[in-house]
Each structure stands twice: as C-alpha cells, then as structure tokens.
Amino acid sequence: MSEADHRRLWILAGSRPWTVTTARAHLAGGDTFWISDAVPPDMTGSAAVQARRLLGCEIDVLVFDAYAGFDPEAFGAAVGAVRGGGRVVLLTPPLARWPDFVDPEHLRIAVHPYGAADVSGRYLRRLVALVRADSALRLVTEGAALPAPEPLAPAAVSANGPCRGADQAAAVAAVCAVAHGHRHRPLVLTSDRGRGKSAALGIAAAQLMSGGALHIVVTAPRRAAVDALFDHAARLLPGARRERATLSWGGSRLEFVAPDALLLHPSPAALLLVDEAAAIPTPLLERMLAHHARIVFATTVHGYEGTGRGFAVRFHGVLARRTPGWRALRLEMPIRWAAHDPVERFVFRALLLDAAPADDAVVVAAQACVVERLDRDRLAADEATLAQLFGLLVLAHYRTSPLDLRHLLDGPNVTVWAVRCGATVVATALTVREGGFDPALARAIYEGRRRPRGHLIAQSLAVHSGFEAAPRLVGERVMRVAVHPARQRQGVGTRLLGAIADWAQDEGCDYVGASFGASAELMAFWRRLEMLPLRLGMTREAASGTHSVIVMRPLSAAGAACYGAIRRRFCGQLPTFVSEVVPDVDAELAAALLQDTPASAAECSAVLDAQDWRDVMSFAFGRRGYETCLVALRKLVTALLGDGSLAQRLPPDAYALLFDKVVRRSGWAALAAGHGLAGRAAAEAALRGALRPLLAGLQQPVVVEESARYDDGAVAL
C-alpha cells in the first residue's frame, strides 16, 4: 500500500447544525457510518454504545458526533473500521469551548452525589491540545472555507487468496500447524488493531474444518469479540449453518464458549482458539493451558480489550515454564490501511494506547522515591508522566481501557497517587471517595430501593452483608494499584498504600478498603496492610474467573465498630457460605479467607441475634437475596422445628416449601419444579410470602437505631 491508502481525519468544529450539515454535504460518501445519538434519517449509524458492532467491519467514512459524547472506546473501535484511503470526520463544539462543554459522557463518570456539571474537562482539554498540535489533521472551523477533500481510494485487492497479505497468510499457516503438529506447542499471535488477527483465526478455522471432522472451540472475554472470526469462517464454508454461538459444516463444528464456562466444563476440542487473551487473567489462561494440548492465544497489543504488553509480562513466563516449545508470531503490516497511517498515530496518542511504563534499567537505577498525591491539572498537561503512569496501569490490570484514562483525569471523586523517583513513576494508585449517605438513603440502599451510582463497598456491605450502617460511613476505596515489575517485592506498594491510609484518616474517613478478584497471593498482600476480608462474591466473574472479595481497614471508632461486626459475621458464616453457596472456591483461597478469624466469630446454632433478625426481615420484606441471609434463615427454621411450632404456624404448602429449601437444601430448579413454580424468581417470592405471616406472629427484637452500635444479644422466639 502507498500513502494514497492513508486515512484522513477531519475535525469540523462549530455549532452542531453546521457540523452535521457540512459533514453530510461535503465529506460523507461511499460506505458511510455515523456514530451519534441523532443519526440523520437517510444515513446508516448507531449510538456510541453500539460502536463495537463495527469490529471486524470495513467502511469508507466514519462520522463521529462528539456532541453526543466523546466515548474514547467507541471512537477507537469505530475508527479501526475505516479502510485505507477513507476518512474519519469528528464533529465537535468550537475547540476553545469544547473542554467546558457538558459532555453526555459525563453521566458515565459522575457518581452520587455529583452530576454531569461536576465532571472536569481535563480529558477534552488534552484532546484539543493534541488536535491543535497535529499538522496531519484537517481542522475546519465554522465560517472558514472547506478544502476540497481527497477522493476516496478503492479497497486494495489481495493476491493471497482468502488472506490479505503475507503476514496474515503466515498466521493462518501457523494456526493450522498447531492443529496438525506436535502437542503442547502453543502459538501466541499478536498484532496491533487492523492487522487481520481475528480474520486469520477465522480463515484457519475454516481451512481446518473443511479438511475433516473437527471440533474447534473459541473463547474470548465477550462473545461479540469473536464475531469477525465467525464471519470469516462462514464466508469460506458455503452452506455452513450459523447459530448464536456455533458454526457447523459437514461433521465439523466451531463453537464459542465463555472462559468461565470453559473452565468449569473443559471441552475435548481438537483445538482451542483464545482471542483477546490479554483481557483474560493469567490464572485462567494457565488453567486453559493445562486442559488443552493444542491452543492458540491471540491478542491485540494496543487495543480495546486489554493490552498485549501486560499479557507478555504476565504470561510468557508461564508458557516458557509449562510448554517450552511455544511459538510467537506477530502480524506487523496493516491490511486495511498503509503503514505510518496518520489516523492510527493520532488515535494511539489520544487514547494513550501506546502508553508504556519507564524502562526497567531506569527504574532499577532510581534511588530516593517520594509518594505524591498528584495535581490532575498538571498531570493532564504532562504527557511524559501521564504515559508512564497509565502505562503502569495498563501493564498491571487486564481490564484497563481508554475510558479509564478519562475517569482518571475527570472523575470528581478520584484521587491519583504516584511513587516517583525523580521524573520516573515506579508505582501508582487510583482511589475514590465513597459512602457518607444520610440515614434515609442508607436505609433505602439496605432495603434495595435505591442504588446510587458508584460506592461499591458501601452498597455491597449494606445489600449483601446486611449492615445498614455501612453506607453512612465515609471510606476511601483503592480502585487500582500498580507497581513497576522492576520494583515489585521491595515494599513500594506497601509504602504507597500506607500513605493513602494515613491521608484518608487525616481526611476524616472511617475506613480504607478495596475490592478485587480474590487469590491467595493477593489476600496475603492486603493482609500485610492490615486489610482483612469482609465479603466474598457469590459467583465467579465471567471474564476473570475469580470471586471478588472486599477488604477493609478501619480508621475511626465508628469504622472500627462497623468493621468488627461485619468481620465477625463474615468469619462465622464463611464455612457455610463456602460449602453451600460458593463450593467452587479453591482450598488455598478458602484458607486465606479464614486466616485471622476472631474467636468471637463462631457461628451460633439456633439463637438469633439482632443482626440475624435484620437478615430475616430484610429477606422476607425487602429485596435481599436468599444466599446472603441463608444462615439467619436456617437458624430461624431450625429453632421453630426444634420446639415443634413450625408446622403449627404455617399452612402445609408453605411449611413444605420452607422445609425443602432451608432444611433439605433443594436447588432452585428442583424446588420450583417440586412446588409447581415457574422458576427461581417465583420460588424466592413464594418463600418470602411464606415467611411474612410467620414473622408477624413471632416476638421481634427492638430495632437498633444508632448506626454505629451493634446489639449482639439473643432474641427469644
């Protein structure tokens, strides 16, 4: 491809009617797609939230309406669909006023009690500076003459059969070699966006399927991420039957299976294709490696599903240890546009897709370091520091995305931290302020009637753990933390988080906490910081395959009182929880969660304390889930069975329902089928209905109004 196959980026800056009219009259043409909340009726397009539907597609012109909100992920995903010789048209307010524009995207960033107007314009101010500094862009302001646009170039024709370029053909051959060659020699396929990686997987799958009966499984963080793979396979298999998650042809089958389902039920597939592997945590990839003898890992190096650099650091060592015969292949040449494309260069800078931490040698040589709470106005204007800091987050966290950069700069409740040795960032953390709700809102959260945006720990401890006081406390949650690989295990992270806790205490916070995917190793790290677990998630996350855990360290008397009560209850109920609600938790993690269990946490048998009554009442009359109230419900039913009064207090149908679920521990499907109910929702509603008249006839405890006080006294039935 030549420079004629470069794409062009046009910025139309002015009033919304002028930008739309100008784009339609002068720059739209060929195969045009609009990203907007008001797509012109005679045009094809969608809202930004659906921009990912363009992944794997090719268009001539993209019109991106920033008046509808500048979503960095949508912009990056959509721009990647524009073929060489095409153009991207960005519609913006006048550049001088754009940073002060109340962007609709602010609603995704603002958390209670903040509104859209409270979100800063730092991200857009930085974007405007990049636009003004890039001479390759076509900036046209309202009232100025529009230069004549270049004609759209025709799509390049490939001379490599179904493959577009020698790079892609080599990738297809390498994938096929994994299927037919020696076992336990996985392939790692990497590329930047637009190099045809997913297409290569689809082409290879089609060639393998057409060569004989074969079962190929593909997995990825989201099913939509492999649509392009399935599309390319289907085009090469005439008459193939396409269903939601499978493609069948002859005796062969290509099937999508989510990562968590794949690990719970390993497939005997002849070949496993893992697309966007960088967005899947290393422990899950390692388990896939153990279960499958023929496997291809593919990932985007600078992409919207994760980062290949972090993947390299985390996973290549595992491959070298477990499968020393593994092979790496990188697709270098773009297939949709020419090399050194100016639009790709701008997108990389604008979204910091190429952000990287400092070199190892520089970090190792650095000596005296200081912990800093960064001024975000200065950070937004300091590209070197911002790139190092964001590069660390990308390296450490598989879910870091371009939208996180906007949250980092603009979030009204966000604080950015760094450990710097001179100009070198060796560690960073993002924290957010949570909680501080008034009593009425705290009760509404506890009862399930309100879900204010944000405030993960405060709301989870109220809704799931059952403590109404939790949302009234003020906390600082560590949202992200990353330490440069060259400075790990040297106390840098401990020093950083210690400084955060000291600052939070000075700020009047009641606690510092965190929520993360649980592992024994991570639990040990947080335990060293005196942050112990208070809650374990009931289900594994589909992308990470781990259960989330909440840890906390109290900083005030009120925080210590609430923390102590929740901690005792968590530890007392954990054995039941692990055996019945989350039996798939591995033994090492369960042991880590039970470590440092207080002696007072032993679970009572049939004596209901005040918190048990809160759990029972909030299940029967509120919206809390059965599993979060299971121990208290079991105490109640056991006590009433013990004195022989349960059958006397309930109609036969209600008695049988409660007995089957609470005592016999029937699963939801069996319970619903056995009692003629439609499913779990109906069975849970019937349980609530059975409990309400029962509770009305029992002696109930006095409600403890003081939020920081906990009454552990027994309540008579």
Side-chain angles (χ1 to χ4, degrees), residues 93-466:
L95 294 189
R97 299 207 300 269
W98 194 12
D100 299 319
F101 171 64
V102 182
D103 191 312
E105 280 295 302
H106 288 179
L107 293 174
R108 296 176 64 190
I109 299 171
V111 299
H112 181 87
Y114 300 102
D118 298 310
V119 177
S120 81
R122 297 183 190 95
Y123 182 89
L124 293 177
R125 192 171 297 115
R126 173 182 175 271
L127 191 60
V128 167
L130 293 177
V131 167
R132 293 189 186 281
D134 196 328
S135 60
L137 309 186
R138 270 67 166 170
L139 173 60
V140 183
T141 58
E142 188 168 3
L146 183 75
E150 304 91 335
L152 297 171
V157 178
S158 173
N160 294 275
C163 297
R164 294 174 60 176
D167 262 11
Q168 193 177 71
V172 170
V175 173
C176 293
V178 172
H180 295 309
H182 293 286
R183 292 159 54 87
H184 303 296
R185 293 188 179 179
L187 170 69
V188 176
L189 192 63
T190 60
S191 73
D192 283 339
R193 180 87 189 280
R195 271 64 178 176
K197 166 185 60 64
S198 294
L201 295 179
I203 294 167
Q207 291 186 1
L208 291 168
M209 292 168 70
S210 64
L214 201 66
H215 180 202
I216 301 174
V217 168
V218 57
T219 192
R222 301 174 303 107
R223 190 181 63 82
V226 299
D227 282 347
L229 188 159
F230 273 78
D231 288 343
H232 280 83
R235 290 190 194 112
L236 297 175
L237 297 171
R241 187 173 70 258
R242 178 87 176 264
E243 297 177 4
R244 179 177 173 81
T246 62
L247 181 73
S248 302
W249 191 87
S252 296
R253 181 160 55 103
L254 177 66
E255 177 186 17
F256 172 80
V257 180
D260 58 333
L262 182 64
L263 294 175
L264 286 174
H265 308 288
S267 168
L271 177 66
L272 173 63
L273 305 177
V274 185
D275 205 0
E276 298 304 347
I280 301 175
T282 301
L284 270 69
L285 298 176
E286 192 166 359
R287 288 166 64 187
M288 292 176 192
L289 194 65
H291 290 150
H292 295 269
R294 302 182 186 278
I295 185 168
V296 175
F297 299 98
T299 194
T300 307
V301 178
H302 304 113
Y304 316 103
E305 299 282 359
T307 168
R309 294 189 310 283
F311 171 75
V313 170
R314 293 187 298 268
F315 194 53
H316 284 187
V318 173
L319 287 168
R321 185 171 64 254
R322 286 183 169 269
T323 53
W326 73 281
R327 179 187 175 195
L329 181 66
R330 174 160 177 159
L331 282 71
E332 298 282 359
M333 293 303 297
I335 62 171
R336 295 183 193 156
W337 51 79
H340 311 298
D341 180 75
V343 174
E344 183 176 62
R345 183 177 65 242
F346 176 79
V347 170
F348 272 37
R349 291 193 62 198
L351 307 189
L352 275 186
L353 294 178
D354 54 355
D359 290 340
D360 287 7
V362 175
V363 174
V364 169
Q367 295 299 321
C369 295
V370 295
V371 179
E372 300 180 62
R373 184 163 49 90
L374 300 182
D375 181 300
R376 289 189 289 169
D377 289 324
R378 294 180 181 175
L379 179 62
D382 184 349
E383 283 293 308
T385 298
L386 186 62
Q388 285 187 31
L389 187 149
F390 198 68
L392 271 181
L393 293 174
V394 165
L395 191 68
H397 293 276
Y398 63 94
R399 283 182 172 172
T400 302
S401 72
L403 184 61
D404 291 320
L405 177 62
R406 189 157 192 189
H407 278 272
L408 182 156
L409 292 175
D410 291 339
N413 67 329
V414 175
T415 301
V416 181
W417 298 80
V419 178
R420 283 205 282 196
C421 304
T424 304
V425 178
V426 301
T428 185
L430 307 181
T431 65
V432 292
R433 186 62 50 87
E434 295 192 340
F437 296 112
D438 62 60
L441 184 51
R443 173 162 283 273
I445 292 169
Y446 166 73
E447 293 175 348
R449 295 184 287 109
R450 291 285 302 276
R451 287 290 184 275
R453 185 174 177 83
H455 306 273
L456 185 155
I457 290 178
Q459 298 201 70
S460 182
L461 294 181
V463 175
H464 300 293
S465 299

Side-chain angles (χ1 to χ4, degrees), residues 555-568:
L555 302 175
S556 70
C562 188
Y563 164 86
I566 301 175
R567 173 78 179 150
R568 286 192 299 273

